[in-house]
Amino acid sequence: MIAIMFKETPAAASVSAVPAGGSGPAARPFCRRPTSGPLPQTPIRPSPRRWADPVSDIERELYGALMPDVTFLRQRGFGVHREVDGFRVGNRLVDADGLQAIAARERRLLRKP
């Protein structure tokens, strides 16, 4: 049988492992918010202005006459992408007429009181 000697007694070691009870400073967490004074304010950044830039020549070439509908749908939160078979609006693959129909529907919904 091997005897291991510790510097502390088991009772002294267990006292440090047990959190202190009561309301003294040992019972409070080390990282607490200050209770007096103004709360620190985080600066509010303005939201980025997407699609405010002028349309690039590449996009004008890709979308052609549909560019006003594409920019309108993008401003409304749709993802519009050119693909081989047509246009992807959100998760739907549509042709040019479908893209115009979606844009017309969104414009009607925007005008409703």
Side-chain angles (χ1 to χ4, degrees):
M1 177 183 233
I2 298 175
I4 301 175
M5 301 298 289
F6 293 103
K7 291 183 179 181
E8 296 180 336
T9 62
S14 65
V15 170
S16 63
V18 175
S23 61
R28 294 189 192 117
F30 289 106
C31 55
R32 63 177 185 201
R33 287 188 311 190
T35 56
S36 62
L39 293 175
Q41 297 293 324
T42 57
I44 299 173
R45 291 184 358 199
S47 61
R49 297 189 62 191
R50 296 171 74 190
W51 315 117
D53 298 333
V55 179
S56 69
D57 294 334
I58 296 171
E59 283 191 330
R60 242 181 247 295
E61 185 180 329
L62 281 174
Y63 299 109
L66 297 172
M67 199 66 227
D69 294 328
V70 170
T71 54
F72 173 73
L73 288 174
R74 285 179 175 169
Q75 288 172 352
R76 298 283 292 158
F78 286 86
V80 181
H81 308 281
R82 174 78 175 165
E83 295 200 3
V84 176
D85 299 335
F87 303 93
R88 185 160 302 275
V89 180
N91 62 352
R92 295 169 41 193
L93 187 61
V94 296
D95 57 349
D97 294 333
L99 186 129
Q100 288 175 335
I102 293 171
R105 180 180 184 275
E106 286 296 315
R107 286 189 178 102
R108 281 193 312 270
L109 290 174
L110 192 62
R111 276 187 249 135
K112 276 192 172 179

